[in-house]
Amino acid sequence: MAKERTLSIIKPDATRRNLTGKINARFEDAGLRIVAQKRLWLTRGQAEAFYGVHKERAFFNDLCDFMVSGPVVAQVLEGDNAVAKNREVMGATNPAQADAGTIRKDFAESIEANSVHGSDSAENAAIEIAFFFSEIEIVG
Ligand code: ADP
Ligand code: MG
């Protein structure tokens, strides 16, 4: 399996509850390496741009409000099959449907405040990584 990179975001519900380290341990325990990481408070414009693919969805405005309600931690995870591996570690979007032992099952507050974002394809991972990081900031 080829080494791959994916974009992860620890969302405001998780930073508010001081869960960054516990969530990072889940990634590392699954064999994913955190090869870039920064904590930032998104502007409304940045949140809308990042979630632009969802702008027609009913939850878009609430989602953007939530994403600017506190700091986030943006990170690049690297490893074999990193996109799929990260989605597996995260669990389903709705924590009520997430498998036992996943981040969202153990930490998410709701389908919206679900603690983590992870890219859904290698193609989107490349776009989302470039949204937050320049190549010089990613050290594998
Ligand atoms: P995922 O984050 O699992 O890839 P989506 O890309 O479908 O899920 O949705 C992006 C984010 O929008 C979700 O992580 C969640 O925070 C929010 N969201 C998705 N569906 C809903 C919904 N039905 N109601 C409220 N928020 C939602
Ligand atoms: Mg998604």
Side-chain angles (χ1 to χ4, degrees), residues 11 51 54 57 59 63 87 90 93 104 111-114 116-118:
K11 294 183 178 182
Y51 276 120
H54 293 309
R57 309 286 288 275
F59 59 78
L63 173 61
R87 299 287 306 191
M90 287 164 59
T93 307
R104 283 166 164 173
I111 189 169
E112 177 182 85
N114 59 3
V116 281
H117 165 86

Side-chain angles (χ1 to χ4, degrees), residues 5 12 14-15 20 23 28 31 36 42 45 50 52 55 59 69 87 96 102 107-108 112-113 118 130:
R5 286 175 176 175
T15 61
T20 299
I23 290 173
E28 293 183 340
L42 295 175
F50 183 78
K55 63 177 182 296
F59 59 78
S69 68
R87 299 287 306 191
T102 61
F107 299 125
E112 177 182 85

Side-chain angles (χ1 to χ4, degrees), residues 46-130:
Q46 288 168 336
E48 288 173 6
F50 183 78
Y51 276 120
V53 293
H54 293 309
K55 63 177 182 296
E56 306 304 333
R57 309 286 288 275
F59 59 78
F60 179 72
N61 261 311
D62 283 349
L63 173 61
C64 291
D65 286 345
F66 162 63
M67 289 300 288
V68 303
S69 68
V72 300
V73 178
Q75 45 196 193
V76 180
L77 306 180
E78 184 180 85
D80 289 342
N81 213 12
V83 172
K85 171 63 73 179
N86 182 38
R87 299 287 306 191
E88 194 182 305
V89 173
M90 287 164 59
T93 307
N94 184 348
Q97 281 152 21
D99 289 340
T102 61
I103 292 170
R104 283 166 164 173
K105 184 67 171 187
D106 292 344
F107 299 125
E109 294 181 325
S110 67
I111 189 169
E112 177 182 85
N114 59 3
S115 303
V116 281
H117 165 86
S119 306
D120 62 8
S121 66
E123 189 189 356
N124 283 336
I127 294 167
E128 292 179 358
I129 288 169

